[in-house]
Structures are given as C-alpha cells and as structure tokens.
Amino acid sequence: MKKRYIILLAVVTFFLLTAGLIYSNRSKSSVEITSERFEQMLSEGDIKEAVLVSNQDMVEVTLNDWAKQKPTYFEELAELSPLASATGPHYRIKVGNPDIFDREFMEAQESLPQSEWIGYQVEERSGYGSFLLNWGLVLVFYAGIFGIPIYVFVRSGHKPKYTSEDLISSSGAQENLLSKAPSAEKLLINFPHKLGDRVIFTPIEEITCFFAQDNHVYLYDVYGKERLVEHTLTDMESKLPAQFIRVHRAYIINSHLIQEVKKQPGSRFAIKMRDEQHKEIVTGQSYAAPVKQLLEI
C-alpha cells in the first residue's frame, strides 16, 4: 500500500476515534434539574437564554456569566465538559405540555421588573442535534486540521490530464445541470403568531387549517384551539409549504391531516380533518379541481 494512503487511513481513524469519545461523553454536556429549580432560576434572573426543543419535550437553559460564579452553579458546572461549561447550555429540564410550560415560564418572572424578563426560543432537533450544538466547533476544528492534509495526499496521487475537448464538454454539462436545477422550496417548521406581547410558535404539522371569519384570519390546530393570525389567506398561500391547499375562499387546509373525503352535490367535497374535534370543511365549488388532483379522484 502506498505511503500516502497509510497516512490517510491513520488520520481518518484518529478523527473517528476522537469524535466517538466526544459523542460517548455527550451526556455530560448539561445538568438535568426539576421544574421547581428552573422556576427559582427564572425568579432570580440567573437565566440568559432558554430553548424549548419541542420534539424532545425538553428545555435547555444557559446561565448569565455572572450567575455561573455562584457557588452552587460553579460546583455543578465543574463536572461538565469544558466547551459546554463555557458556552452552554448548562441545564436541561423535561416538560410535558408546552402550553403549561409557557404559562409557568411567565409566572415565574412576575417578581422581576419587566425590563429583566426574558423570552424563550422554540426549536426542533434530530437525535444528534444536541451533540452537534455542543461539539460542532470541536469537529470543525479537527476537520480543518486534518482536512487539508487529507486533500493534499489524495490529490498528490491523482492528477488527471484533460484535453481541450474534455474541458468544453464538462463546461457544457455543468451549465445544463444548473439550468435544470429546481429552486429550493421553503422549509417552514413552525408558524409564528402573536399572543399579546409574545410570539408563539406552532409546529406546522399541528396546524389543521387557516380560516377567515369576520375580517380576521385564524389558525386552527389539532387540539381544537384557535389563534389570531396577522396575515391574509392570500398572503399565506405563497408562504406555506406545499401540503397546505386552498379549498375555499375562506379556508386553507393541511392536506397531511385529511382523514376522510365525501362527495357533495355541485362539485363540492366535505373534508373531515384528523384533529380532536374532527373538523369538517366543505370545499368551494371553484376549488374542486385542485382538490380532485390532490386526492386523485
């Protein structure tokens, strides 16, 4: 085996071993606490940032720099990985119902001046999201250190020669691919809407429909709750993912939550949605064509 490939194999093996060790210790990236202690942290103004990871029923907590010097926090954070201790998140808490968490989150800060109140972010992550969040910089560092040598070794052993015809053909092929490349579709995971002086994020997959009533537009979710939205249905048609279709001048529905369709007189359809109330929506006559195409009727 050529020397360059032996070195390449050694570098890749070292990188994978390092990443494996980091991943095996990811449980030390934060300390789990109770809801009571979380509320105490809030009431004392120790929290800098809170992130609700909605698909993991978990809240990640990052402390203010001055709060980390408190004896209780200092001793606990000493057990964490160096990167997690420096940047956070430092603590985590399991939550059940996001609505209950939202209410308790605001109530815990009532003893503080409103100028010191903090909000929280809502995110969805994969199983490795937390690992990448805490160790992403380390992996990028190793990739930079070892990536350049790997590239040099591989390129030094493979230097293909191209003719002018090859270059012309390659250039034409690239232009052809670029001309046929589809435009990137928007990826909207959570839909933001105001609730008083706060902004609430509702997961797209939990939205049954949007509907217009009395010159207002409302969001209707799978739990039967209605939320006021500051957009027109026409505006949202171009912003929502393709799974949302207009079935009536007053309704946009989530096609992923259709449970049942019944044919009605006059080119209409009665659509029953898959929510707790089994909401039924009758399509408008002029919207029959897109509904037929969607349901392949």
Side-chain angles (χ1 to χ4, degrees), residues 145-160:
I145 293 297
F146 298 124
I148 294 175
I150 290 173
Y151 178 80
V152 171
F153 278 112
V154 172
R155 292 295 297 173
S156 64
H158 180 66
K159 296 180 179 179

Side-chain angles (χ1 to χ4, degrees), residues 196-214:
D197 58 351
R198 294 174 291 154
V199 176
I200 305 298
F201 293 84
T202 300
I204 282 294
E205 293 299 336
E206 293 183 5
I207 299 175
T208 302
C209 67
F210 296 90
F211 67 94
Q213 183 178 353
D214 298 330

Side-chain angles (χ1 to χ4, degrees), residues 3-206:
K3 182 179 179 181
R4 67 173 62 90
Y5 293 110
I6 295 175
I7 298 176
L8 172 61
L9 179 61
V11 169
V12 171
T13 302
F14 180 78
F15 174 76
L16 292 176
L17 286 174
T18 304
L21 288 172
I22 291 173
Y23 184 73
S24 66
N25 288 292
R26 70 191 186 280
S27 60
K28 297 182 180 179
S29 61
S30 62
V31 179
E32 185 167 356
I33 57 174
T34 63
S35 58
E36 290 77 15
R37 188 172 179 202
F38 173 73
E39 292 172 10
Q40 181 183 356
M41 290 177 173
L42 273 175
S43 63
E44 293 176 0
D46 293 341
I47 295 178
K48 176 183 179 181
E49 180 183 68
V51 178
L52 172 61
V53 186
S54 58
N55 61 326
Q56 297 180 15
D57 296 328
M58 177 182 68
V59 175
E60 293 180 337
V61 179
T62 301
L63 296 177
N64 286 304
D65 290 337
W66 57 265
K68 290 189 289 184
Q69 304 306 315
K70 290 184 177 182
T72 303
Y73 297 141
F74 187 84
E75 293 177 4
E76 291 178 334
L77 298 182
E79 301 295 323
L80 301 182
S81 61
L83 184 61
S85 178
T87 62
H90 305 112
Y91 295 90
R92 64 185 184 276
I93 174 178
K94 287 290 184 180
V95 296
N97 190 311
D99 290 334
I100 295 177
F101 166 77
D102 181 76
R103 183 178 67 251
E104 293 176 348
F105 184 88
M106 303 309 296
E107 290 175 354
Q109 300 183 85
E110 289 178 352
S111 61
L112 297 173
Q114 286 199 359
S115 59
E116 297 180 14
W117 285 21
I118 64 169
Y120 65 89
Q121 302 176 44
V122 180
E123 296 180 4
E124 285 192 0
R125 293 186 193 152
S126 65
Y128 296 98
S130 198
F131 164 63
L132 293 176
L133 178 66
N134 290 315
W135 297 103
L137 292 176
V138 175
L139 294 177
V140 169
F141 173 77
Y142 275 104
I145 293 297
F146 298 124
I148 294 175
I150 290 173
Y151 178 80
V152 171
F153 278 112
V154 172
R155 292 295 297 173
S156 64
H158 180 66
K159 296 180 179 179
K161 297 180 180 180
Y162 297 101
T163 64
S164 58
E165 290 81 2
D166 291 332
L167 293 174
I168 294 172
S169 176
S170 175
S171 176
Q174 290 181 20
E175 291 179 1
N176 189 39
L177 286 173
L178 289 173
S179 66
K180 294 181 179 180
S183 58
E185 185 178 343
K186 298 177 181 176
L187 179 61
L188 184 63
I189 298 176
N190 295 296
F191 188 87
H193 51 89
K194 287 187 176 181
L195 182 61
D197 58 351
R198 294 174 291 154
V199 176
I200 305 298
F201 293 84
T202 300
I204 282 294
E205 293 299 336
E206 293 183 5

